[in-house]
Amino acid sequence: MPAKKSSTPNRSFKVADQIQRDLTELIARELKDPRVGMVTIQAVEVTPDYAHAKIFFSVLVGDPKECEEALNQAAGFLRNGLFKRLHIHTVPTLHFQFDRTTERAADMNALIAKAVSSRAKED
């Protein structure tokens, strides 16, 4: 009989997904810092040993730098909230990082629109 693997390959994805959902709720409902505006958690990357989680976020309103600072200061509070919700042995240390992907996408869309409109004027 083959030895059974102790963890499934998709487990880290499931944990990251659950962390993303729980953090979204915790930030919206329980975090009272005025520097944290309307935050969207874009992605969560968990290390294989579950010791650390990198949380990529975007913010609709407010200063991204201040928001990142506030979220990292509240990381212990948010991690404690995850302890109560997640049913895993180790809840990772949280590291928040502003995700510029949506910002870059908007810039690229503006450049494309500009190129299309200038091409239309030439034709």
Side-chain angles (χ1 to χ4, degrees):
M1 193 164 131
K4 188 178 176 187
K5 284 189 175 180
S6 62
S7 65
T8 60
N10 292 335
R11 186 167 187 261
S12 64
F13 294 116
K14 288 178 183 175
V15 169
D17 187 51
Q18 191 60 49
I19 287 172
Q20 183 171 351
R21 280 187 265 135
D22 288 344
L23 274 178
T24 298
E25 199 173 301
L26 283 167
I27 291 169
R29 293 186 179 174
E30 297 185 29
L31 197 59
K32 304 293 184 220
D33 195 317
R35 296 175 294 173
V36 178
M38 296 174 75
V39 171
T40 302
I41 306 292
Q42 301 289 355
V44 175
E45 292 177 0
V46 182
T47 57
D49 61 356
Y50 299 102
H52 299 276
K54 195 181 282 188
I55 294 96
F56 297 94
F57 72 94
S58 64
V59 65
L60 193 59
V61 180
D63 180 7
K65 252 324 184 210
E66 281 185 13
C67 187
E68 183 175 325
E69 200 175 285
L71 286 169
N72 280 309
Q73 285 175 356
F77 169 79
L78 293 169
R79 184 174 183 230
N80 194 35
L82 288 176
F83 264 118
K84 296 172 186 168
R85 293 163 175 251
L86 293 175
H87 302 288
I88 59 174
H89 193 61
T90 306
V91 174
T93 302
L94 307 175
H95 307 279
F96 289 89
Q97 190 171 332
F98 180 65
D99 184 9
R100 297 196 182 292
T101 305
T102 51
E103 208 175 71
R104 287 193 197 111
D107 290 345
M108 290 299 281
N109 284 337
L111 285 172
I112 292 166
K114 187 176 178 183
V116 168
S117 70
S118 71
R119 178 174 262 174
K121 287 176 188 170
E122 290 173 6
D123 290 343

